[in-house]
Amino acid sequence: MSMIDPTRYGKYLLLEKLATGGMAQLYRGKIVGVQGFEKIIAIKQILPHLSTEKELVDAFIDEAKLAGLLNHQNIVQIYDFGQIEDSYFICMEYLFGKDLRVIASKSYERQVPLGLQNALYIATRICAGLDYAHKLKDFQGKALNIIHRDISPQNIFITYEGEVKILDFGIAKAASQSTITQMGMIKGKVAYMSPEQASGNPIDHRSDIFSAGILFYEMLSGRKMFQGDTMQILAKVRRAEFDPPEAAIPAMPVTLYRILHQALAKEPSDRYQTCGEMLADLEECMVGLEIRPSSRTLGEYMKGLFTQEIAAEGDFMRDAAEASARPEPEVAPPAMPPAFQEPQGIAPTPAPAAPRKLGTPLLAGIGVALAVAVLGGGYFLLRGAPPAPTPQREMAGTPPQPAVQPPAAGTTPAKAPPAETARTPGKAPAPTSAEKAKGLIEQAQQVAGTNPQEAVSLLLQAIGADPKSAQAHFQLGLLYAKQKEYPKAIQAYGQAADLDPKFPDTFFNLGYVYALTKEYRKAEEMYARVATLEPPYIDEALYNLAIVQEKQGKKQKAIESLERAVRTNPNNTPAEKFLNSLKRKQ
């Protein structure tokens, strides 16, 4: 008897949920037809609670339309797109294998390098798929000018048979699409961006070429091309500052170094102008080296690396073949319990007031959370939000604490327990107020992306348990800001600022909220406060400070702020452009 209990979803059977992200959830499913016809497929379904959000639904539809035009052996294939009641879905081919991120981790763990032959083959297939997408035309013969924008290890999939597939054109953009990316909105994963993308400048298909060059570099070297925390990586990417291939990958043929240098040129005009050109050089290199990589050799490597995983897949497939759905009406499956692998909207933990070494906060949009407001000469960025801590990665300086299960959403916030709790022999001590608050905050981090209202409830309970938790107040402010409940956000940030007056992110985000509500004088005070605290992102604070100063007619002060921003970070392109614009108007 099958161990799988599938759910009917229109004409499909949903066998297993594979992942949940910020916008959609992914299922492994199957199609069952007449005469015993069956096919395993993947179903990408927009999250139920987002089905009423027009902008997100439009983005999901745009993705489906664009992906449906792509028909290439190195790009994941789309079979179907539709709507069942209020739920939109994309049906696509199911791939048996692993992405490059998992492969890199496993090869390091097993000490089995990918090798030159396989790296070359994967690079050629990436270039072939991208070259096709970049040159694709619509049915009227008009160039679509598609840019993937997120060529990274997670989006390069290798099957156990050695096929290479590019995944997730979800943030790809065709020039004809109605959804236009706002100025300064940075998408993709920062360590795999081109310099122009990381700077928030306009990009074209040559940005994907730089990203493909990073993947080739890392496959050959076995290490990250850009290393450090997020802000350090961002600065390095903007400057195209990395160890030369000759130093990172010694004893390689000269032709390979030349290919890498051209793919990774900082200026787009110095790079390969098409992926087809890079593909031609890679193929010529293989001929010169007298090696003939193929899907067969890559497949042998994959089967050796993932023997146990392939066996487990086989067991699942046998169960899937026997699985049949319970008799029920053909309706969308019920909303899934809150689960979010990459939580958004929860900010870094403020370090203790003093003495402390501040962690480097993330730019919203580098990672998961993103808030952009276009005002006057530029855009504002709201600071937030790394993935939630896990048992394997505790917050810096915080010893592991027991997990605390929060009360159900909507219940009365818990009262803070007494400072000292009597210990009963043979029983674990009850958690302290701070421990209980930390557990509630971690629970909020896990559900923030899929159920922000529940996250708010959990954070309020955390504050009830420990009113002096600056972290809880700060994260509550960030959630309120993302929900556009600005008075509540100001109040929450104010509490966080009182509890930890040396944490600059609080004042940065207060400045953002005040700017959105057109309280420019207060916004100016907040950004000036950030500048006095001199965080690693001081140039971004000075840039925002200049915008609100210019909105108040203080052009000379705005120029001074921008000049300081550019002195602090000469690669802050938006600040430099705004400065030049103001000087021209003098």
Side-chain angles (χ1 to χ4, degrees), residues 41-152:
I41 44 86
I43 293 281
K44 186 174 185 179
Q45 180 194 66
I46 195 166
L47 291 170
H49 71 279
L50 299 179
S51 295
T52 58
E53 299 289 336
K54 185 178 184 304
E55 289 186 6
L56 294 175
V57 170
D58 288 346
F60 192 78
I61 294 171
D62 280 348
E63 174 187 351
K65 289 178 178 178
L66 183 59
L69 293 171
L70 300 166
N71 183 21
H72 189 273
Q73 65 268 31
N74 297 120
I75 298 175
V76 65
Q77 296 297 290
I78 301 299
Y79 297 145
D80 191 14
F81 167 71
Q83 180 182 8
I84 297 177
E85 294 187 349
D86 294 329
S87 174
Y88 286 91
F89 71 92
I90 300 171
C91 172
M92 64 190 82
E93 66 175 318
Y94 182 80
L95 302 172
F96 294 89
K98 302 293 180 184
D99 63 46
L100 264 185
R101 176 180 56 178
V102 175
I103 293 169
S105 176
K106 188 78 167 182
S107 65
Y108 178 81
E109 175 190 326
R110 295 273 304 275
Q111 292 296 296
V112 184
L114 188 62
L116 173 60
Q117 189 168 338
N118 287 328
L120 276 167
Y121 182 74
I122 294 170
T124 61
R125 297 305 86 209
I126 294 172
C127 287
L130 286 175
D131 192 53
Y132 164 83
H134 291 163
K135 294 177 179 177
L136 189 64
K137 298 180 180 180
D138 63 17
F139 296 121
Q140 286 73 43
K142 181 180 177 181
L144 289 169
N145 298 318
I146 293 172
I147 314 164
H148 188 285
R149 298 171 182 253
D150 192 15
I151 295 298
S152 55

Side-chain angles (χ1 to χ4, degrees), residues 1-4 319 322:
M1 181 177 178
S2 172
M3 300 297 290
I4 299 173
D319 284 343
E322 300 173 8

Side-chain angles (χ1 to χ4, degrees), residues 216-269:
F216 190 37
Y217 178 108
E218 293 186 352
M219 286 190 289
L220 291 173
S221 66
R223 69 175 192 176
K224 297 287 187 183
M225 195 171 98
F226 294 108
Q227 301 185 44
D229 62 38
T230 303
M231 290 302 296
Q232 290 171 337
I233 290 173
L234 182 62
K236 289 179 181 179
V237 174
R238 286 171 170 171
R239 296 191 296 266
E241 181 183 292
F242 53 89
D243 291 339
E246 292 83 354
I249 320 164
M252 282 285 176
V254 175
T255 51
L256 281 178
Y257 294 140
R258 183 180 61 79
I259 291 170
L260 285 167
H261 278 295
Q262 189 165 351
L264 296 170
K266 180 182 178 182
E267 297 299 328
S269 59

Side-chain angles (χ1 to χ4, degrees), residues 488-566:
K488 291 183 178 180
I490 290 170
Q491 183 179 3
Y493 282 137
Q495 291 286 338
D498 290 341
L499 292 166
D500 185 359
K502 293 186 178 180
F503 187 60
D505 283 29
T506 303
F507 301 103
F508 192 102
N509 286 3
L510 264 172
Y512 172 88
V513 175
Y514 282 135
L516 286 184
T517 54
K518 298 185 179 181
E519 296 187 57
Y520 299 128
R521 184 185 60 79
K522 291 183 178 179
E524 181 181 12
E525 292 176 5
M526 294 302 104
Y527 288 123
R529 180 73 174 270
V530 178
T532 62
L533 293 171
E534 298 187 340
Y537 54 88
I538 186 174
D539 61 308
E540 302 287 351
L542 290 165
Y543 171 66
N544 284 5
L545 175 61
I547 293 177
V548 295
Q549 287 171 334
E550 191 271 341
K551 294 294 290 184
Q552 298 175 83
K554 302 177 181 179
K555 290 187 178 180
Q556 187 54 44
K557 284 186 174 292
I559 288 173
E560 292 171 2
S561 297
L562 290 166
E563 287 175 338
R564 184 181 171 192
V566 173

Side-chain angles (χ1 to χ4, degrees), residues 202-535:
I203 66 172
D204 59 24
H205 65 279
R206 293 172 295 184
S207 178
D208 286 346
I209 294 174
F210 191 94
S211 300
I214 297 175
L215 293 182
F216 190 37
Y217 178 108
E218 293 186 352
M219 286 190 289
L220 291 173
S221 66
R223 69 175 192 176
K224 297 287 187 183
M225 195 171 98
F226 294 108
Q227 301 185 44
D229 62 38
T230 303
M231 290 302 296
Q232 290 171 337
I233 290 173
L234 182 62
K236 289 179 181 179
V237 174
R238 286 171 170 171
R239 296 191 296 266
E241 181 183 292
F242 53 89
D243 291 339
E246 292 83 354
I249 320 164
M252 282 285 176
V254 175
T255 51
L256 281 178
Y257 294 140
R258 183 180 61 79
I259 291 170
L260 285 167
H261 278 295
Q262 189 165 351
L264 296 170
K266 180 182 178 182
E267 297 299 328
S269 59
D270 295 330
R271 283 179 220 150
Y272 288 106
Q273 297 304 289
T274 68
C275 278
E277 292 176 5
M278 184 174 173
L279 173 60
D281 277 2
L282 287 168
E283 291 175 338
E284 184 177 341
C285 176
M286 291 188 293
V287 171
L289 296 174
E290 297 184 349
I291 58 176
R292 293 178 175 82
S294 66
S295 61
R296 182 182 60 81
T297 54
L298 180 56
E300 290 173 355
Y301 173 82
M302 291 291 292
K303 289 169 184 173
L305 196 61
F306 294 103
T307 305
Q308 294 180 355
E309 290 82 354
I310 292 172
E313 287 273 7
D315 292 340
F316 182 92
M317 291 304 297
R318 282 188 289 274
D319 284 343
E322 300 173 8
S324 58
R326 301 182 302 276
E328 58 185 26
E330 293 192 0
V331 297
M336 305 303 293
F340 194 65
Q341 294 180 343
E342 293 183 309
Q344 61 177 338
I346 300 297
T349 305
R356 82 189 199 279
K357 180 180 179 181
L358 281 173
T360 304
L362 295 175
L363 272 177
I366 309 303
V368 183
L370 176 63
V372 178
V374 178
L375 286 174
Y379 59 91
F380 290 97
L381 289 169
L382 172 64
R383 296 201 164 265
T390 65
Q392 290 75 34
R393 189 189 67 189
E394 289 291 331
M395 290 178 285
T398 305
Q401 302 291 345
V404 178
Q405 292 297 327
T411 59
T412 305
K415 294 182 180 180
E420 295 293 334
T421 305
R423 299 190 178 187
T424 302
K427 292 186 178 181
T432 65
S433 298
E435 290 169 347
K436 185 173 183 179
K438 178 177 179 290
L440 290 166
I441 291 167
E442 290 176 355
Q443 292 291 329
Q445 289 176 315
Q446 296 298 326
V447 301
T450 54
N451 195 337
Q453 291 301 326
E454 183 179 351
V456 167
S457 175
L458 290 167
L459 290 172
L460 289 172
Q461 293 173 48
I463 291 169
D466 182 8
K468 294 185 179 181
S469 172
Q471 178 194 6
H473 287 287
F474 179 87
Q475 294 178 350
L476 184 61
L478 186 56
L479 279 174
Y480 281 143
K482 286 172 65 62
Q483 295 171 9
K484 299 182 180 180
E485 297 186 41
Y486 299 131
K488 291 183 178 180
I490 290 170
Q491 183 179 3
Y493 282 137
Q495 291 286 338
D498 290 341
L499 292 166
D500 185 359
K502 293 186 178 180
F503 187 60
D505 283 29
T506 303
F507 301 103
F508 192 102
N509 286 3
L510 264 172
Y512 172 88
V513 175
Y514 282 135
L516 286 184
T517 54
K518 298 185 179 181
E519 296 187 57
Y520 299 128
R521 184 185 60 79
K522 291 183 178 179
E524 181 181 12
E525 292 176 5
M526 294 302 104
Y527 288 123
R529 180 73 174 270
V530 178
T532 62
L533 293 171
E534 298 187 340

